[in-house]
Amino acid sequence: IVVTEIVDYLSGTLGSKWPSTGVSLFLVTRANNTAQNCSILVAQTDDGANRFNMHLPYGGGAGTTYWDYGNIAGAGRLQRSFTGGTDWQTWLFRSQTNFGQAIYRNGALDAADGTAGFFNPAGKYLDIGSAYNGDIAEIIVFTNAMATADEAAVGGYLTGKYGIGSWGSFCMTGAVLTVSNNVVLDGTA
């Protein structure tokens, strides 16, 4: 599943190919402020026992980053203080049953734990950006938790494409990238 060039709001029904036990989701975005209640992606109808959601940021003050995948009262929620301010950021939200959840910002690990939930997409539809106060340049969703080398390659592709910096030591400009599951990203388009 690849969703790109989101302007404001898009929704669509989630099918059987939507990830239920693992996901790697890349996001290039900037918030308009750091004290807002924003949700970038929400699988609706939203309920705490079966949630797919990124709040970035959420709450007053400096805000909180939430990554919800499954039951947020159990193993399905990872959170940390929001970092990044109002500059463009490349984010990776990853969840894999039996391995845990992680949030990366510009190639650096922001938060991780050893638990992960299970998300059931049946009867859900995807709401992108309707409750977000900021800009979304690109969203890429892989229906599995990717290998570290593939994550670095995709992160480097996105940071190079948008001139954000580098993803760790990996930065790529204007090239075609093929990751191990044969997804092709073309930075020249």
Side-chain angles (χ1 to χ4, degrees):
I1 299 170
V2 177
V3 181
T4 59
E5 306 303 327
I6 302 301
V7 175
D8 188 63
Y9 175 86
L10 174 71
S11 64
T13 303
L14 302 182
S16 62
K17 294 188 183 230
W18 190 259
S20 61
T21 60
V23 64
S24 291
L25 188 143
F26 291 85
L27 174 66
V28 179
T29 186
R30 80 174 159 197
N32 284 341
N33 64 67
T34 59
Q36 56 184 319
N37 292 333
C38 280
S39 297
I40 293 179
L41 290 171
V42 181
Q44 298 284 4
T45 53
D46 186 31
D47 68 74
N50 184 36
R51 181 178 275 184
F52 182 93
N53 193 354
M54 273 119 11
H55 295 297
L56 189 65
Y58 200 87
T64 302
T65 301
Y66 291 102
W67 167 221
D68 299 335
Y69 193 79
N71 187 343
I72 65 170
R77 171 167 273 184
L78 180 61
Q79 68 186 61
R80 69 160 281 108
S81 296
F82 176 71
T83 55
T86 57
D87 294 330
W88 281 101
Q89 307 290 322
T90 302
W91 297 87
L92 165 61
F93 297 89
R94 182 183 63 216
S95 184
Q96 180 67 45
T97 303
N98 302 324
F99 292 102
Q101 292 178 277
I103 301 170
Y104 290 83
R105 183 179 59 85
N106 296 334
L109 181 65
D110 241 15
D113 65 21
T115 63
F118 172 84
F119 173 70
N120 180 1
K124 301 277 188 177
Y125 68 91
L126 190 60
D127 177 342
I128 302 174
S130 68
Y132 186 63
N133 183 5
D135 298 310
I136 302 170
E138 189 158 353
I139 298 171
I140 302 174
V141 180
F142 291 90
T143 57
N144 61 341
M146 299 171 71
T148 302
D150 286 340
E151 288 176 350
V154 174
Y157 159 79
L158 289 170
T159 56
K161 179 177 178 180
Y162 292 99
I164 295 171
S166 65
W167 186 270
S169 61
F170 195 106
C171 184
M172 183 177 163
T173 58
V176 174
L177 169 68
T178 302
V179 295
S180 65
N181 57 355
N182 296 317
V183 173
V184 177
L185 304 173
D186 185 352
T188 62

